[in-house]
Amino acid sequence: MKRVTGTDFCLRKENVFMMKVTICIGSSCHLKGSRQIVEKFQNLVKQNSLEDKVELSGTFCMGNCVNGVNVMVDETQFSVLPDTAEKFFEEEILAKVK
């Protein structure tokens, strides 16, 4: 997989641009529900047949532990709670890749 210069979109061999979604799985975010968010996003990606459009990954501390679970969509950072994960997915991920 190669990076496209200037963005966090990934370029696969089929030349399909992918949205990169990174979820913090550090200790503070884990306590705030990162596991539930990861599972919810995995299910939503599968339900919406976005496996070739959305790349999910995890990382440790992203440095903004005060609010909810840190989620980076491309180069934009958000705070997400398990209760708001589905709405977040619909508005910030699904709406932009469909």
Side-chain angles (χ1 to χ4, degrees):
M1 204 175 293
K2 297 179 184 176
R3 292 251 180 238
V4 177
T5 309
T7 70
D8 261 352
F9 281 102
C10 295
L11 183 62
R12 289 190 172 216
K13 63 183 175 184
E14 309 90 27
N15 293 328
V16 175
F17 288 99
M18 294 189 71
M19 175 182 281
K20 183 171 175 82
V21 179
T22 306
I23 303 149
C24 180
I25 55 172
S27 57
S28 181
C29 286
H30 176 74
L31 293 172
K32 292 177 182 163
S34 64
R35 182 180 178 110
Q36 294 95 318
I37 292 171
V38 167
E39 291 171 353
K40 175 65 81 175
F41 285 1
Q42 287 173 331
N43 289 334
L44 290 167
V45 165
K46 189 172 183 174
Q47 287 173 13
N48 290 282
S49 302
L50 299 176
E51 294 89 350
D52 62 338
K53 294 182 180 181
V54 176
E55 176 189 0
L56 296 177
S57 65
T59 189
F60 289 102
C61 192
M62 296 167 74
N64 186 22
C65 306
V66 177
N67 298 313
V69 175
N70 289 297
V71 175
M72 185 83 72
V73 177
D74 296 326
E75 296 180 10
T76 306
Q77 191 170 3
F78 299 90
S79 291
V80 180
L81 298 171
D83 293 344
T84 63
E86 189 165 350
K87 182 178 180 190
F88 174 84
F89 185 90
E90 291 169 0
E91 293 175 357
E92 298 297 333
I93 299 171
L94 185 61
K96 295 177 181 177
V97 296
K98 278 278 184 170

